[in-house]
Amino acid sequence: MRLFFSFCFFFFMIIFSATAYDPLDPSGNITIKWDIMSWTADGYVATVTMNNFQIYRQIQNPGWTLGWTWAKKEVIWSMVGAQTTEQGDCSKFKGNVPHCCKKTPTVVDLLPGVPYNQQFSNCCKGGVIGAWGQDPSAAVSQFQVSAGLAGTTNKTVKLPKNFTLLGPGPGYTCGPAKIVPSTVFLTTDKRRKTQALMTWNVTCTYSQFLARKHPSCCVSFSSFYNDTITPCPSCACGCENKKGCVKADSKILTMKGLNTPKKDNTPLLQCTHHMCPVRVHWHVKTNYKDYWRVKIAITNFNYRMNHTLWTLAVQHPNLNNVTQVFSFDYKPVSPYGSINDTGMFYGTKFYNDLLMEAGPSGNVQSEVLLQKDQKTFTLKQGWAFPRKVYFNGDECMLPPPDSYPFLPNSAQGNFASFSLTILLLLFISIW
């Protein structure tokens, strides 16, 4: 019986972990919208729009990869703003040869700088899509596809199936395509409305459990009231790459092209006890009468990765009273309305929005000033440290609670002896 309950427990834990529910961003998703704009002799021309509605998770370089399975024998005659990675077997076509004849096409974004006649609105960013909470204008990617052998009416068009999204690696799960009310467009002069001939949506959600078996970042702590630094847990991000890591004084660091990313995005990590690509350090710096100050430092230990448009989401009860953030941009995140205990930090454009690869420049830092709520504020029992930390949308591993920097016992003892001395002096003066 005990074995049965244990099996059920682990089964439900796996199911729960595999779902794409993020408690700090419960409605976050990537919505892929297909708008048929016109009919052709044997199909249609559609605008495909990918909207990233995730508050603090973006798609980084080398970008997104979108795939699906055609419902019939459709082909892609042409594309603008994107391309398929393979053409497939188009030998049965004479004269005009389609752009892609594969039953399961794989589409990628074009790189910046392509000729103007190949560009489409919101395209050609190498597949990079920003986070909605950071910059809504950068959280979209679009391309145009001309499909043939696909039906020429709303009743004869069949929706593609089995959508897949890599961003850039695994982690996203896409639901089935669903027909929705046709999208309405407003002309540039804002005096006329037009609408798509047919629209369907596909919703893709992210699960860190599906993306990787280890975290991709860790958190360390320190404070002004304790000399002990609480480091990241050992092997927090797995130690599989321990043999291939690089020491800080290694001669390999002088090699040309070391910082060039590989196609499979494999990291080249600096040798550390935690073996994480990214470490977030939270330092309780100063305690004033009505305020307290925290220093946040983010360090990149991967020699092959630059983090553009990085984000840092933090959950802490005192983030409802942020007074000033000194060198990061900051935005509150309130997924549950009245509960304001989560915030998103991100870099200032053209200043520190790029987190460089491992090395002397591989860190960014800022300080945060918070106003105290005297009813809840305390430095005891690790209250000053965050409950959850996310870097680029992935949850970081925190140290175990019993290792947090604690208030020294001598401080409490000194306070008690000081109070006793005051009472004795008052008693003597009265006597």
Side-chain angles (χ1 to χ4, degrees), residues 95-172:
N96 293 333
V97 178
H99 175 79
C100 179
C101 300
K102 287 182 68 68
K103 178 79 171 178
T104 56
T106 301
V107 178
V108 294
D109 192 14
L110 297 181
L111 298 174
V114 297
Y116 184 76
N117 61 352
Q118 297 180 28
Q119 296 182 23
F120 197 71
S121 58
N122 296 307
C123 85
C124 313
K125 297 179 286 188
V128 175
I129 305 179
W132 180 263
Q134 185 176 5
D135 184 2
S137 65
V140 60
S141 183
Q142 288 181 298
F143 61 89
Q144 186 184 78
V145 56
S146 177
L149 308 179
T152 57
T153 67
N154 290 27
K155 294 183 179 180
T156 56
V157 168
K158 300 297 182 182
L159 277 56
K161 302 178 292 184
N162 304 328
F163 279 85
T164 59
L165 176 64
L166 299 179
Y172 284 95

Side-chain angles (χ1 to χ4, degrees), residues 241-247 250-262 264-272 275-278 300-305 357-359:
N241 296 323
K242 193 76 174 179
K243 293 181 180 179
C245 66
V246 178
K247 295 183 178 179
S250 175
K251 293 182 179 179
I252 195 175
L253 299 180
T254 61
M255 290 178 57
K256 196 172 183 179
L258 177 73
N259 303 122
T260 303
K262 288 195 172 182
D264 58 0
N265 224 24
T266 54
L268 179 62
L269 298 181
Q270 182 176 320
C271 294
T272 58
M275 290 303 294
C276 288
V278 172
N300 184 6
F301 292 99
N302 185 357
Y303 286 102
R304 289 200 182 117
M305 173 63 76
E357 69 274 350

Side-chain angles (χ1 to χ4, degrees), residues 384-396:
F385 301 103
R387 310 297 185 263
K388 286 180 179 291
V389 175
Y390 290 72
F391 179 78
N392 281 350
D394 283 340
E395 186 172 358
C396 305

Side-chain angles (χ1 to χ4, degrees), residues 119-429:
Q119 296 182 23
F120 197 71
S121 58
N122 296 307
C123 85
C124 313
K125 297 179 286 188
V128 175
I129 305 179
W132 180 263
Q134 185 176 5
D135 184 2
S137 65
V140 60
S141 183
Q142 288 181 298
F143 61 89
Q144 186 184 78
V145 56
S146 177
L149 308 179
T152 57
T153 67
N154 290 27
K155 294 183 179 180
T156 56
V157 168
K158 300 297 182 182
L159 277 56
K161 302 178 292 184
N162 304 328
F163 279 85
T164 59
L165 176 64
L166 299 179
Y172 284 95
T173 302
C174 299
K178 295 181 179 179
I179 297 176
V180 297
S182 297
T183 304
V184 176
F185 303 96
L186 197 63
T187 57
T188 53
D189 60 4
K190 298 183 179 180
R191 300 179 64 186
R192 170 177 163 81
K193 291 181 180 179
T194 61
Q195 71 178 51
L197 304 176
M198 184 179 182
T199 300
W200 61 81
N201 280 355
V202 178
T203 302
C204 302
T205 51
Y206 181 83
S207 170
Q208 187 173 341
F209 178 81
L210 296 177
R212 55 183 61 86
K213 63 179 181 179
H214 298 298
S216 59
C217 56
C218 65
V219 184
S220 57
F221 295 142
S222 62
S223 66
F224 70 90
Y225 54 77
N226 195 310
D227 293 336
T228 303
I229 296 177
T230 302
C232 287
S234 295
C235 293
C237 300
C239 283
E240 286 84 351
N241 296 323
K242 193 76 174 179
K243 293 181 180 179
C245 66
V246 178
K247 295 183 178 179
D249 58 349
S250 175
K251 293 182 179 179
I252 195 175
L253 299 180
T254 61
M255 290 178 57
K256 196 172 183 179
L258 177 73
N259 303 122
T260 303
K262 288 195 172 182
K263 288 184 179 180
D264 58 0
N265 224 24
T266 54
L268 179 62
L269 298 181
Q270 182 176 320
C271 294
T272 58
H273 72 281
H274 53 76
M275 290 303 294
C276 288
V278 172
R279 181 192 66 197
V280 179
H281 186 74
W282 179 280
H283 175 66
V284 182
K285 186 176 181 179
T286 316
N287 183 25
Y288 306 107
K289 180 181 178 181
D290 297 318
Y291 300 88
W292 62 298
R293 186 186 292 255
V294 171
K295 183 176 182 179
I296 302 173
I298 309 172
T299 306
N300 184 6
F301 292 99
N302 185 357
Y303 286 102
R304 289 200 182 117
M305 173 63 76
N306 288 329
H307 295 282
T308 57
L309 302 176
W310 58 267
T311 62
L312 181 71
V314 178
Q315 184 182 39
H316 188 283
N318 208 178
L319 287 178
N320 61 344
N321 278 326
V322 173
T323 302
Q324 187 174 0
V325 179
F326 290 90
S327 59
F328 291 166
D329 287 327
Y330 175 77
K331 184 178 292 185
V333 177
S334 303
Y336 303 104
S338 59
I339 304 175
N340 181 17
D341 64 349
T342 306
M344 181 179 70
F345 301 89
Y346 52 98
T348 304
K349 280 189 176 181
F350 310 115
Y351 174 59
N352 57 2
D353 58 333
L354 174 64
L355 177 57
M356 297 291 288
E357 69 274 350
S361 302
N363 71 89
V364 289
Q365 47 190 293
S366 177
E367 293 189 5
V368 185
L369 187 67
L370 304 102
Q371 187 174 7
K372 293 180 180 178
D373 181 353
Q374 299 297 343
K375 296 179 181 179
T376 60
F377 180 82
T378 179
L379 292 175
K380 295 180 181 179
Q381 299 176 343
W383 184 93
F385 301 103
R387 310 297 185 263
K388 286 180 179 291
V389 175
Y390 290 72
F391 179 78
N392 281 350
D394 283 340
E395 186 172 358
C396 305
M397 178 174 282
L398 274 67
D402 59 355
S403 67
Y404 287 16
F406 56 87
L407 284 167
N409 294 329
S410 58
Q412 299 177 1
N414 291 339
F415 177 77
S417 61
F418 176 75
S419 301
L420 182 60
T421 303
I422 294 296
L423 288 173
L424 286 173
L425 288 173
L426 288 172
F427 178 81
I428 293 172
S429 63

